C-alpha cells in the first residue's frame, strides 16, 4: 500500500439505527461512504441531529455496525481478531461532551491516564502530560494538581483535549470542539488548534454545526443531512453553494456573509473566502480597482 494514496479511514455503506427494532428506532445514519486520506483536514458539517456524533462513534468503532464496514489503513476493523487497541492508539477523539471522557479527579492524573494505560513509561508520560497541558494553555505547574470538577466547562474541554494530545495519535477527531464556549474561549481554542495543525503532521476530523470554525480548521467539507452525505468536496466549492447551505440550516462563516454583502456592490466579488486575510485582500483589491 502506498502512503497518501489509500485512505487512512474508510467507511463503506455505513448505516446506523438507534434502538433498532423498537417503536422508538431512530435512523441516525442512512448510508454513508467516506474516505479520509492521511494529512487531510475534514470537517463533518450538519445541522443538529444530522448524525455527526454517530459518525464519529463509527470511525473509532464504538458502535457495533448494523451494516457497512469501517477500514483503518486498509484493514477491516469489524473483522474478528482485528486489534481494536490500534484504533485507540491511533485515533484520538475529543467527544462532544468533555465530561464523558474525563476519568480522573485530578487534572494531571486525567491527562496521564491514556498514556499510562497504553503502557508508556512513567517518565515519558510525565513529559507528555506537561507538554499537552502547556499546549492547551493550562500551565503544567499551575494546573496539574487541580480538581477537574472545579474547572470551567472550557477548561474541562481543554483537559479532555490535552488527554488526547498526550496519546500523540496521528489522527485527531474533534466533535464540536468550541460548542458552549464564550467568544474568547472559542478564539483561544481555535488558535490552539491552528497551532497544533501547523506543528504536527495530523489527519484532522472536526464536527461542526456551522462553517465558521470548519473554514478555519479544515479544507474539505462533508455535509450531512438527516444521516446522509449531501455534499463532499473542497471547502471553497462547498461555500459557493450558500443557498443550499442555508436550506440545510448550516451557518456560513462571517467572511462569507460579509463577502455576500459586498457582492451587491461589486458583482464580481468572490464569496467563497475562508479567512479574514483573504477577505481583506479582496476588499483592498476592489477598493483599489474602484
Ligand atoms: N443514544 C441514542 N439513542 C437514541 N437515539 C440517538 C442516540 N444518540 C443519537 N440519537 C439520534 O440519532 C440522530 C443523530 O444524532 P447525532 O447525535 O449523531 O447527531 P449530531 O449531528 O451529532 O447532533 P448534534 O449537533 O445535536 O450534536 C438524532 O436523531 C438523535 O436523536
Ligand atoms: Mg453531535
Amino acid at each position: 500500500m502506498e502512503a497518501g494514496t489509500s485512505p487512512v479511514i474508510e467507511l463503506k455503506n455505513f448505516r446506523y439505527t438507534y434502538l433498532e427494532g423498537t417503536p422508538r428506532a431512530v435512523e441516525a445514519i442512512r448510508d454513508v461512504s467516506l474516505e479520509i486520506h492521511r494529512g487531510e483536514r475534514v470537517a463533518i458539517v450538519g445541522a443538529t441531529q444530522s448524525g455527526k456524533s454517530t459518525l464519529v462513534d463509527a470511525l473509532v468503532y464504538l458502535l457495533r455496525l448494523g451494516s457497512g464496514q469501517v477500514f483503518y489503513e486498509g484493514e477491516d476493523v469489524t473483522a474478528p481478531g482485528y486489534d481494536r487497541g490500534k484504533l485507540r492508539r491511533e485515533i484520538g477523539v475529543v467527544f462532544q461532551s468533555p465530561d464523558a471522557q474525563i476519568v480522573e479527579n485530578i487534572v494531571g492524573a486525567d491527562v496521564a491516564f491514556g498514556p499510562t494505560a497504553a503502557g508508556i513509561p512513567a517518565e515519558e508520560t510525565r513529559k507528555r502530560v506537561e507538554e499537552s497541558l502547556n499546549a492547551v494553555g493550562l500551565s503544567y505547574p499551575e494546573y496539574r494538581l487541580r480538581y477537574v470538577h472545579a474547572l470551567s466547562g472550557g477548561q474541562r474541554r481543554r483537559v479532555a483535549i490535552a488527554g488526547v494530545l498526550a496519546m500523540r495519535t496521528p489522527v485527531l477527531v474533534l466533535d464540536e470542539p468550541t460548542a458552549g464556549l464564550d467568544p474568547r474561549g472559542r478564539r483561544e481554542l481555535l488558535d490552539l488548534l491552528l497551532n497544533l495543525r501547523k506543528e504536527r503532521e495530523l489527519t484532522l476530523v472536526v464536527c461542526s454545526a456551522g462553517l465558521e470554525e470548519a473554514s478555519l480548521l479544515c479544507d474539505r467539507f462533508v455535509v450531512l443531512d438527516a444521516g446522509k452525505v449531501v455534499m463532499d468536496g473542497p471547502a471553497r466549492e462547498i461555500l459557493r453553494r450558500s443557498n443550499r447551505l442555508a436550506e440545510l440550516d448550516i451557518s456560513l462563516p462571517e467572511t462569507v456573509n460579509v463577502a455576500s454583502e459586498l457582492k451587491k456592490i461589486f458583482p464580481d466579488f468572490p464569496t467563497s473566502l475562508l479567512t479574514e486575510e483573504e477577505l481583506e485582500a479582496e476588499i483592498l483589491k476592489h477598493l483599489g480597482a474602484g
Side-chain angles (χ1 to χ4, degrees), residues 2 4 14 17 51 71 119 161 173 180-181 201 214 217 235 237 248 254:
E2 229 178 324
F14 169 55
T17 303
F71 294 88
I161 295 175
V173 182
L181 300 186
E201 173 62 34
L217 296 172
E237 274 171 29
L248 294 169
E254 215 28 57

Side-chain angles (χ1 to χ4, degrees), residues 18-19 24 26-29 46-55 96 175-176 209 224:
Y18 288 100
L19 307 170
R24 291 163 63 209
V26 181
E27 253 189 295
I29 300 288
T48 179
Q49 312 226 314
S50 57
K52 303 180 295 293
S53 298
T54 305
L55 203 62
Q96 190 163 357
D175 192 354
E176 305 209 32
L224 287 184

Side-chain angles (χ1 to χ4, degrees), residues 164-175:
V164 170
L165 293 183
M167 293 297 286
R168 304 252 174 95
T169 56
V171 183
L172 188 60
V173 182
L174 304 156
D175 192 354

Side-chain angles (χ1 to χ4, degrees), residues 163-280:
V164 170
L165 293 183
M167 293 297 286
R168 304 252 174 95
T169 56
V171 183
L172 188 60
V173 182
L174 304 156
D175 192 354
E176 305 209 32
T178 65
L181 300 186
D182 61 17
R184 181 162 150 239
R186 253 177 93 97
R187 191 69 242 173
E188 284 175 3
L189 187 60
L190 284 172
D191 283 344
L192 176 162
L193 294 172
L194 283 170
N195 250 334
L196 208 77
R197 212 188 71 160
K198 228 186 313 174
E199 283 167 10
R200 290 196 197 173
E201 173 62 34
L202 275 177
T203 304
L204 189 64
V205 179
V206 183
C207 294
S208 174
L211 292 173
E212 181 85 43
E213 70 193 32
S215 304
L216 287 171
L217 296 172
C218 300
D219 16 58
R220 170 179 163 204
F221 294 166
V222 174
V223 181
L224 287 184
D225 180 39
K228 277 195 186 145
V229 175
V230 289
M231 296 186 222
D232 180 353
R236 248 172 247 283
E237 274 171 29
I238 306 256
L239 283 176
R240 266 187 220 121
R241 302 175 62 186
S242 54
N243 293 338
R244 180 75 180 115
L245 291 167
E247 273 169 28
L248 294 169
D249 234 351
I250 294 168
S251 62
L252 291 165
E254 215 28 57
T255 48
V256 174
N257 289 331
V258 172
S260 302
E261 285 303 307
L262 286 165
K263 195 176 165 67
K264 293 177 188 164
I265 308 170
F266 304 106
D268 66 332
F269 203 92
T271 52
S272 58
L273 302 171
L274 297 178
T275 65
E276 286 171 15
E277 289 74 20
E278 278 177 19
L279 178 63
E280 270 169 34

